[in-house]
């Protein structure tokens, strides 16, 4: 962690006593305005849901916590909102739990909290419960954040692996690998100057618009975060017991990402994304979905990147069709060269 | 391990023989100690933090021209 | 603009046309030889390129492609990994090395596991970063584990020279750098797989120059061509190789002329020769090869980790069931190893060929499995 | 962290790829059996709730992660279950997010996961979503866990600060300070051998039994964790704008706790508890509640420890009545001498 | 069994009866003197005990209790805290000290804030642990910040002796240890608050013995009694003090006989005398007091942080508005400080009296506020 | 800072002059260097890791007896 000039977080900010209260009053309650949080009970009592609950949790340990195109606060909201949205549910509430490292500049925490609040507002979700712990210097990395999201599943939405069929198409809402490679450009030892920036964004409005505009077209969705498009697509292949075939020529990969991946010897298919969703759609309706998406924020560069086929072996596999037309197999990531990207 | 990527020299620090090289919007610092004759605008192959060779534009052009001719004649 | 040409080398259109031509040439070669030709790509980066582009698959009817020992991580002996792990346990030491090295199994564990157990091991992309780490930690010994062939060896030499000039006295090299020529020599003098031609390592040749490889034609009566790494480069090199075999060429070809010159990079070679000398040393799978390992000359022993931190020799563990040795010699393909994709996989590699991005087994695991 | 002899957690266990999957398959899914988790979607789709949702989150960073009477897994379940239960709600589901430090012995993780699963079963809550991140050695402390709980509020339960009135009694379900002092006994530099053990336990069954047996008697509840009974009682005094008077002679403090607190110069009233609940009850019904509690597990040593009075100054205060009968004021904790107790 | 007796000292019943008796005695004393008596408790642990037990409140009609300078943390000069912060920024240094010290404000910040900014500061309960830390970090200087009166000073002496015997050569003491007698002397020779009797520090007296305190009666014509720390102990000591005042006793009393002897702990005193000598030094609020600070003798300078790590003297910051000085002399009570419980509180203490568990302001903040 | 708590000696390591002391089920290690005459079962006052004094049972008993007598006589 950088040398701290400004007021630092102290261990006493996490002892549940007077300094913790000060932090809650002067910082968190200033940015998070939902009544359930303001009530400061042990648990937040919320309005009854309009459908069965959907829960999702993720911790964010990204290093550095400020990065080109975002920060850990924005990421923590987008990540969990997206995890709920890709199930087809409507995200409503978030809990936010901070693990702060002694010495974190309070001004950095303020920026992160403000960004978190702003992103939550964009996504239309409310922060309704929180927690703060402080760990000694050398037992953290500035700040770790857990967000847990609660949403509800509207009636008649039944997305799932079981819906996926041969003939379905695979759509992504834009370019691949931007987040992973932009984080990478900040890392000591590799650091390079670049125009790259993370794609980090909440996608719930995009997703909801697709689901409402093209009812019945979407079979399944996932956000290709850690492990990238390849790992996520492979998981879908395994769970749906279908083969997924990505088309190398159709993959939207920015020139800057491609260039950086090349000199680092990395494959953009394995690079994390934080504002992307892989959508498996009814093959017949792929163009309709694509047209809808291209009109929407975060959807302008949407593309069909592959298709679903019956499995050719005992289990579903992921293939990529090369420029020469042959198929080669793709596996999950194993040993990410760059940890702590989310 | 023997990966080497081509990049264009966009700045040279004579004193340290370090250069900034660029490829598709990404910039890195590399050492020119192995190619001291390199100049601004040259394309170099970069390996493990060092530029190890200046790419020969004439050869690249010639090679591509040759193959395009051969392939064209063959196809026709 | 050269950038335009460079782009052309990677665009699929020209490569697709070239593929047809190469297939035809290979078929002609088969007619000429009376059997399907076997080529070896020496270099792991070529192995990876053939697989990643799909060319291996496209060409499999027309040529038998073998992978050679040209992955510097793969040929690192497990006893050397054990040695590095022992260094990492010395008080205060910082180990710096390239990423793949941390996953290579020694006899008992990997450097990555040792790191998880508390050793300070840092991955660098360049020896220059290792030197920076040494400068920032002037009260701790920083050992750089140098791995690589002639492409990489001069970078270590240059960095070491810089350390000397700047008076950095806590920076040490543990050199596992290896020479390509003695490896090929060893390969072709014992158990020679039946090879009709060889694709020579383009980035090694940038340093060594084209000419040094003529020995292959002269001494082993084998045709060879230096190749670049784009799909088009590989195809041009194959085409060149076909014609050399049919014409019984007297020297090796250079299908990577935009980068490789006759004499190579003389400055780099001089730096290497100045600091290093060749000694006998073990290669994983190939046994001890004489005059094959670049070690610091005695006059630089103050920078040589082996001189400064002499370690008791480490007892040999059980021989591993890994077939890397056979694979590195081109005698077996990964599918022939009973551990491949079962007990041995990128999560728990049993041999270094499953570790490196350029390791034959890792490449076959990633790209060549059909199920 | 101790020298690792056994198989350690590697960074690659957190890259979202093959090793992460192995951990999920071989460890988490073996212990956590709920269908929503087993489905491995981004979000867990749950059954509709029988009342408005109640959400609560806490991260657990306790050091050491094994301690007399429990471990971080047990604590992580009990802590969040209790936070939901004290609002009067019924906890049903938990999400669990791990931040593992590179080098954590996998065998330690297994013990913690098993304990977590066992405690969840005891409490009758299901683990329905999870997450695993791995941070480099030196950026964590073996393991941090976030749990977020979802429950529902049964009809006609309206606990709250506003219910608290002069004349109410303050009840606690047993001895004070056991958790904090037992953690303390393990700390380098202070470490002492002791018969102490943490009181860590889920209290939802106890609480539900009280609410059902004595309807209307309970005004408000909180679990006196970080900061101890004094800090929690002070918070209640402030929020309810009433004076709370604790009776020094009535405080149930074990001899071992008292002894350790004495030689460390600490006050058990400020020591954390993890299996205790402070219950503000209608004064008339205190004996009835007490009798009920004493029959129940985790309630045998329940005691009335104080009473509520109208505030004597501009804000609600916390007092303790000393052995000599005089009142002295108590404040919140400020600068816990022992961080990382939960 | 002694344990039974020890329990009796802390049971409330006997103490409650005793309270009635003491109140009566104080009323008799008031009749005797013609005014309500003023007693000072020298020791911060007594200040805390009076408040925690509620006795201060119970007795307030009958006696005016003043708190004295007997909190070793509180009397540490802010320049000394600055000095410790400067030590903590030396390369590789580990600072070890008692918990309260990390919260005491220097002129700009506390040691706790400096720790959050990256210094390695470790809290110990005993100097023996600091020595263990030194042994485990043999390549780093470990400075122990010694604070305390005669109760604590010999423990530092013993530990330093152990370090010498064991040849630990990276362990250094920065001694802020202080002597009680010169402080009392300074207190009574300037601005003497009007005191009728003094409760003397029980645990200091364990080391010094009872007899050394007779100087109080002899030189200052003041009655004193050594007191223990249970409620009953305090009451017995007050009772004793009342009777000594009425009888004009010639020596100080000992109401803590189970622990304090005539001569004290001779071994401890010898160790102290052997290693330390008294020098002039600043006390917070009391100015420089001659012969009041225990410093290592020159022959032990290899263990003296001040000798081994000479630091440029730190420029003096602004004088703080804190009234600790007046409070430590018993001239003011915390309520009389305009900062008390407003700008100054245990979260952001403005003076050391608000920091230590035995600091008068902290004790009054915790126990004596009525709103 | 001058806190010192009474504890009973339950074990002595002669060589290092360290002892284990117990109070209400809590055991700690302390140095006996300042009270070398201490023996098993003695009650000592412990401060900053050292036993600084052995408590005098006779005095404690006598003191309590005295005060109880006085208070009893007074109450009657
Ligand atoms: S598959 Fe594994 S064990 Fe078999 S040869 Fe390759 S690296 Fe060795
Ligand atoms: S209240 Fe604070 S500022 Fe005032 S005398 Fe006490 S410590 Fe100093
Ligand atoms: Mg998730
Ligand atoms: Mg996610
Ligand atoms: Mg997801
Ligand atoms: Mg909390
Ligand atoms: Mg850190
Ligand atoms: Mg909570
Ligand atoms: Mg809680
Ligand atoms: Mg709570
Ligand atoms: Mg996750
Ligand atoms: Mg750690």
């Amino acid at each position: 962690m950088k040398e701290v000039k400004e007021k630092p977080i102290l261990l006493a900010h996490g002892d549940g006593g007077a300094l913790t209260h000060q932090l809650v009053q002067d910082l968190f309650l200033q940015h998070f305005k939902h009544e359930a949080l303001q009530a400061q009970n042990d648990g937040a009592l919320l309005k009854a849901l309009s459908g069965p609950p959907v829960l999702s949790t993720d911790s964010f340990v990204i290093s550095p916590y400020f990065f080109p195109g975002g920060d850990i606060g924005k990421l923590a909201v987008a990540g969990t909102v997206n995890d709920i949205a890709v199930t087809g549910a409507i995200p409503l509430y978030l809990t936010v739990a901070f693990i702060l490292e002694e010495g974190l500049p309070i001004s950095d925490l303020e920026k992160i909290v403000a960004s978190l609040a702003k992103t939550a507002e964009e996504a239309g979700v409310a922060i309704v419960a929180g927690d703060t712990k402080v760990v000694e210097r050398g037992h953290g990395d500035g700040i770790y954040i857990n967000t847990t999201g609660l949403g509800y599943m509207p009636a008649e939405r039944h997305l799932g692996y079981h819906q996926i069929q041969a003939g379905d198409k695979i759509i992504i809402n834009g370019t691949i690998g931007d987040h992973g490679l932009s984080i990478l450009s900040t890392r000591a030892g590799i650091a390079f100057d670049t125009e790259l920036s993370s794609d980090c964004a909440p996608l719930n409005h995009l997703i909801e618009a697709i689901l409402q505009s093209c009812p019945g077209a979407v079979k399944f969705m996932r956000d290709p975060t850690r492990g990238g498009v390849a790992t996520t697509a492979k998981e879908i292949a395994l769970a749906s017991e279908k083969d997924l075939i990505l088309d190398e020529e159709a993959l939207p990969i920015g020139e800057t990402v491609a260039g950086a991946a090349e000199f680092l010897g990395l494959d953009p298919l394995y690079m994390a994304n934080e504002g992307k969703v892989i959508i498996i759609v009814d093959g017949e309706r792929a163009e309709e979905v694509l047209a809808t998406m291209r009109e929407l924020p975060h959807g302008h560069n949407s593309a069909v990147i592959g298709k679903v086929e019956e499995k050719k072996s005992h289990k579903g596999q992921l293939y990529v069709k090369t420029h020469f037309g042959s198929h080669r197999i793709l596996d999950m990531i194993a040993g990410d060269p760059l940890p702590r990207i989310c | 391990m023997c990966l080497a990527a081509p990049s264009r020299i966009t700045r040279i620090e004579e004193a340290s023989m370090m250069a900034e090289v660029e490829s598709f919007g990404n910039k890195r610092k590399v050492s020119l100690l192995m190619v001291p004759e390199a100049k601004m605008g040259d394309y170099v192959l970069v390996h493990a933090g060092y530029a190890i060779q200046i790419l020969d534009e004439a050869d690249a052009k010639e090679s591509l021209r040759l193959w395009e001719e051969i392939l064209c004649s063959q196809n026709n | 603009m050269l950038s335009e040409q460079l782009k052309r080398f990677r665009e699929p259109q020209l490569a697709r046309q070239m593929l047809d031509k190469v297939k035809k040439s290979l078929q002609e070669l088969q007619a000429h030889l009376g059997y399907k030709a076997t080529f070896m790509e020496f270099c792991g980066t070529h192995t990876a390129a053939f697989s990643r582009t799909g060319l291996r698959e496209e060409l499999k009817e027309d040529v038998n492609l073998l992978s050679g020992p040209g992955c510097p991580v793969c040929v690192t002996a497990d006893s050397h990994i054990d040695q590095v792990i022992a260094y990492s346990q010395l008080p205060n030491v910082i180990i710096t090395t390239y990423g793949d090295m941390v996953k290579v199994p020694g006899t008992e564990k990997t450097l990555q596991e040792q790191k998880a157990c508390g050793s300070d091991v840092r991955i660098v992309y360049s020896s220059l970063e290792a030197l920076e780490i040494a400068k920032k930690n002037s009260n701790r010994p920083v050992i750089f584990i140098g791995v690589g062939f002639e492409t990489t060896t001069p970078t270590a030499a240059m960095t070491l020279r810089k350390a000397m000039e700047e008076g950095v006295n806590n920076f040490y090299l543990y050199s596992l750098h290896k020479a390509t020529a003695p490896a090929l020599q060893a390969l072709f003098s014992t158990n020679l797989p039946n090879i009709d031609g060889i694709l020579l390592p383009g980035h090694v040749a940038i340093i060594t120059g084209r000419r040094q490889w003529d020995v292959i034609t002269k001494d082993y009566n084998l045709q060879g061509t230096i190749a670049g790494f784009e799909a088009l480069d590989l195809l041009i090199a194959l085409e060149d190789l076909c014609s050399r075999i049919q014409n019984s060429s007297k020297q090796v070809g250079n299908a990577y002329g935009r980068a490789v010159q006759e004499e190579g990079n003389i400055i780099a070679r001089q730096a290497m020769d100045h600091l290093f000398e060749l000694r006998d040393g073990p290669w994983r799978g190939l046994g001890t090869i004489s005059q094959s390992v670049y070690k610091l000359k005695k006059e630089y022993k103050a920078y040589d980790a082996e001189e400064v931190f002499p370690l008791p020799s480490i007892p040999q563990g059980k021989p591993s069931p890994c077939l890397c040795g056979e694979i590195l010699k081109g005698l077996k393909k990964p599918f022939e190893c009973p551990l491949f994709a079962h007990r041995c996989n990128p999560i728990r590699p049993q041999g270094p060929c499953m570790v490196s991005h350029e390791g034959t087994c890792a490449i076959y695991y990633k790209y060549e499995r059909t199920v």
Side-chain angles (χ1 to χ4, degrees), chain A, chain B, chain C:
Chain A
M1 182 182 310
K2 61 184 161 173
E3 178 59 23
V4 182
K5 290 266 160 24
E6 308 106 297
K7 275 271 168 232
I9 284 290
L10 305 176
L11 286 175
H13 283 107
D15 69 6
L19 270 192
T20 311
H21 277 254
Q22 206 177 67
L23 206 58
V24 168
Q25 289 295 339
D26 297 353
L27 182 56
F28 300 131
L29 293 182
Q30 298 309 312
H31 286 280
F32 307 144
K33 296 292 192 185
H34 193 272
E35 55 188 9
L37 188 86
Q38 298 273 342
Q40 290 194 68
N41 284 316
D42 286 294
L45 176 60
L46 306 167
K47 287 215 193 72
L49 302 172
S50 318
V54 173
L55 262 186
S56 186
T57 192
D58 263 321
S59 295
F60 298 84
V61 298
I62 191 165
S63 168
Y65 52 75
F66 295 124
F67 51 82
D71 59 73
I72 193 171
K74 181 178 181 186
L75 184 65
V77 173
T80 292
V81 162
N82 293 348
D83 274 346
I84 301 230
V86 296
T87 68
I90 315 255
L92 294 177
Y93 304 114
L94 285 184
T95 65
V96 179
F98 297 98
I99 297 177
L100 309 178
E101 186 185 12
E102 179 187 26
L104 173 72
I106 292 182
S107 57
D108 283 2
L109 177 60
E110 281 175 352
K111 279 180 215 143
I112 290 165
V113 166
S115 164
L116 207 154
K118 180 164 167 276
T119 314
E121 202 184 315
E122 266 173 50
V125 297
I127 287 149
V128 295
D131 180 52
T132 308
K133 296 291 188 301
V134 181
V135 295
E136 295 91 343
R137 205 179 169 93
H139 286 299
D141 198 12
I143 180 167
Y144 300 147
I145 302 180
N146 175 280
T147 49
T148 301
L150 174 62
Y152 73 94
M153 187 64 78
E156 306 304 321
R157 287 209 183 146
H158 305 289
L159 276 55
Y161 291 114
H162 60 281
Q163 304 273 22
I164 300 173
Q165 289 174 333
D168 288 349
K169 290 276 166 64
I170 307 166
I171 294 179
I172 195 162
N173 63 317
T175 54
I176 283 170
D178 302 57
H179 178 75
L181 276 155
S182 76
I183 296 313
L184 219 139
S185 74
T186 65
R187 289 289 172 84
I190 318 174
F192 54 95
D193 258 10
T194 179
E195 297 154 8
L196 283 172
S197 89
S198 168
D199 58 349
C200 175
L203 300 176
N204 53 325
H205 298 317
L206 171 73
I207 288 171
E208 189 59 22
I210 299 168
L211 292 173
Q212 293 199 5
S213 305
C214 315
V218 174
K219 307 292 195 79
F220 186 76
M221 293 182 280
R222 288 214 41 195
D223 53 337
T225 53
R226 282 188 298 187
V229 167
T231 303
T232 301
K234 175 80 179 198
E235 286 170 356
I236 297 173
L238 287 171
S240 65
E241 303 197 47
K242 296 281 180 289
D243 282 351
L244 266 64
I245 324 284
L246 300 179
D247 182 352
E248 193 159 34
E249 298 207 341
L251 293 173
I253 299 176
E255 214 178 42
T256 315
V257 162
E262 185 180 348
F263 67 69
L264 294 165
L266 299 171
D267 188 340
L269 276 172
Y270 289 93
M271 291 287 115
N273 310 278
E274 291 293 346
K276 293 293 157 351
V277 55
I278 291 183
I279 311 181
I280 313 285
V281 297
D282 184 333
E284 315 267 288
R285 302 185 61 189
E287 287 308 317
E288 173 196 346
V289 172
L290 206 58
T292 305
M293 289 175 71
R294 286 185 171 154
E295 297 299 312
L296 293 166
H298 304 302
H300 301 315
N301 299 313
S302 298
V304 172
I305 58 169
K307 61 185 177 187
V308 178
E309 293 184 354
E310 290 304 342
K311 68 179 176 185
K312 288 179 281 296
S313 62
H314 67 290
K315 60 178 179 179
Q317 291 283 20
L318 173 65
Y319 297 92
V320 66
K321 184 172 143 244
T322 71
H323 291 296
F324 299 108
S326 58
H327 286 187
R328 63 177 164 79
I329 209 163
L330 287 178
D331 205 5
M332 285 181 196
I333 204 166
D336 192 334
L338 297 136
R340 313 269 306 280
I341 45 161
C342 66
Chain B
M1 280 296 301
C2 291
L3 196 80
S7 306
R8 196 169 51 90
I9 298 179
T10 53
R11 207 172 63 218
I12 296 181
E13 275 177 32
E14 297 285 351
S16 60
M17 286 298 275
M18 294 296 289
E20 183 186 75
V21 301
E22 196 268 352
S23 92
F24 301 111
N26 305 293
K27 291 180 176 174
R28 288 177 296 162
K29 285 236 182 314
V30 303
S31 169
L32 296 182
L33 283 170
M34 286 193 210
V35 288
E37 72 279 23
K39 50 188 199 314
M40 286 287 292
D42 279 356
Y43 278 80
V44 287
L45 276 172
V46 174
H47 172 73
Y50 286 83
I52 59 171
Q53 190 59 284
I54 303 168
L55 286 173
D56 181 342
E57 176 160 8
D59 186 284
K61 216 176 226 165
E62 177 57 21
S63 165
L64 283 167
R65 198 193 52 74
L66 190 77
W67 286 111
E68 274 163 9
E69 250 179 51
I70 295 176
L71 294 172
C72 274
S73 67
Q74 189 194 19
N75 282 355
N76 299 344
Chain C
M1 278 283 288
L2 183 53
S3 71
E4 293 310 309
Q5 273 104 46
L6 292 178
K7 273 191 197 158
R8 303 285 321 273
F9 276 101
R10 47 203 316 171
E11 277 162 9
Q13 297 80 349
L14 193 56
R16 277 193 210 117
Q17 294 171 23
M18 193 72 203
L19 175 61
D20 293 337
K21 171 117 184 67
V22 169
K23 276 172 156 293
K24 241 175 260 167
S25 302
L26 286 166
Q27 283 150 17
E28 285 163 27
L29 182 63
Q30 180 159 5
H32 172 86
L33 293 172
Y35 59 87
K36 185 164 94 176
T38 294
F39 292 169
M40 173 182 270
E41 75 272 356
F42 174 85
C43 174
T45 315
H46 282 148
T47 306
F50 271 121
S51 289
R52 196 189 56 242
T53 56
L55 279 178
R56 191 188 309 279
E57 178 69 18
E58 295 293 335
L59 292 166
K60 71 176 175 218
E61 307 292 316
D62 306 307
V63 65
N64 184 23
L65 285 171
L66 290 185
S67 304
C71 159
V73 168
C74 303
V75 294
T76 301
D78 49 3
S79 61
H80 285 160
I81 299 292
D82 294 346
Q83 199 78 4
V84 173
I85 288 172
Y87 283 136
S88 80
Q89 291 169 301
L90 292 174
N92 275 320
V93 156
I94 301 173
I95 299 289
T96 53
T97 192
Y98 300 119
D100 282 345
M101 284 298 284
V102 305
K103 297 185 210 158
V104 179
T107 49
E108 294 223 319
K109 58 180 160 182
T110 66
L111 200 52
Q112 167 175 267
E113 283 162 339
Q114 179 58 35
K115 172 172 177 271
C117 298
S119 288
D120 193 344
V121 177
R122 307 194 192 173
I123 292 172
V124 293
Y125 273 66
S126 164
S127 52
L128 287 168
E129 287 156 35
L131 181 58
E132 285 306 311
I133 291 171
K135 289 196 229 168
K136 276 189 201 125
N137 296 272
S138 57
N139 57 342
R140 300 177 60 185
V142 173
I143 303 180
F144 175 66
I145 313 299
V147 199
F149 296 126
E150 286 86 352
T151 325
T152 318
T153 315
T155 67
M158 288 289 178
T159 298
L160 211 58
R161 210 181 243 176
K162 195 166 142 76
M164 290 171 193
E165 281 166 17
E166 297 180 358
V168 181
N169 55 19
N170 61 322
F171 182 70
Y172 308 94
L173 175 68
Y174 178 55
S175 172
L176 300 174
H177 287 291
K178 294 193 172 56
T180 42
L184 276 182
Q185 198 169 336
L187 195 63
F188 296 140
S189 52
T190 60
N191 283 330
L192 181 67
N194 199 2
I195 290 173
D196 301 291
I198 183 160
L199 290 179
L200 296 167
H203 291 143
V204 170
I206 284 175
I207 306 297
T208 62
R210 188 207 62 81
R211 186 180 303 169
Q212 100 146 30
W213 297 94
D214 282 341
V215 65
I216 285 180
T217 327
K218 234 184 301 159
D219 292 5
Y220 305 114
N221 193 27
L222 192 65
Q223 293 301 330
T225 289
I226 295 165
F229 299 88
E230 306 292 352
L232 185 59
D233 285 321
L234 294 173
L235 290 164
I236 294 174
L238 288 173
E239 180 70 19
D240 185 65
L241 202 49
C242 288
S243 88
R244 275 175 201 277
I245 293 168
Q246 295 208 40
N247 304 329
S248 301
S249 167
K250 291 280 176 276
Q251 51 176 37
V252 300
N254 181 3
Y256 195 27
R258 65 187 185 281
V260 173
Q261 298 167 4
E262 273 303 287
E263 299 300 332
N265 186 323
I266 293 169
I267 293 174
R269 280 220 311 285
Q270 279 172 347
M272 238 181 351
D273 292 348
H274 188 226
L275 290 166
F276 292 102
E277 61 190 18
L278 284 170
R279 296 204 209 124
D280 302 353
W283 292 51
R284 175 127 24 177
L286 303 180
T288 293
I289 303 184
S290 80
Q291 301 283 86
S292 68
V293 183
Y294 288 103
K295 291 288 182 185
L296 281 175
K297 291 181 179 168
K298 283 285 170 223
E299 55 245 68
Y300 304 111
K301 70 178 178 196
Y303 296 90
D304 190 343
E306 290 173 271
E307 296 288 336
V308 178
F309 308 101
L311 283 178
S313 78
I314 290 163
Q316 285 293 322
K318 290 202 279 268
S320 138
C322 163
L323 294 185
C324 275
E326 310 294 291
I327 304 236
L328 289 165
K329 289 181 218 160
L331 294 174
K332 289 247 163 82
K333 289 205 176 182
F335 299 119
E336 299 174 65
C337 171
L339 304 187
F340 180 78
H342 299 290
R343 257 187 57 208
C344 184
N345 55 55
I347 309 177
R348 297 260 182 241
Q350 300 300 312
C353 295
M354 188 56 92
V355 169
S356 168
H357 288 117
E358 300 170 6
T360 307
C361 295
I363 292 166
Y364 275 65
Y365 185 92
K366 190 166 173 208
Y367 295 125
E368 299 295 334
R369 287 180 304 149
T370 46
V371 291

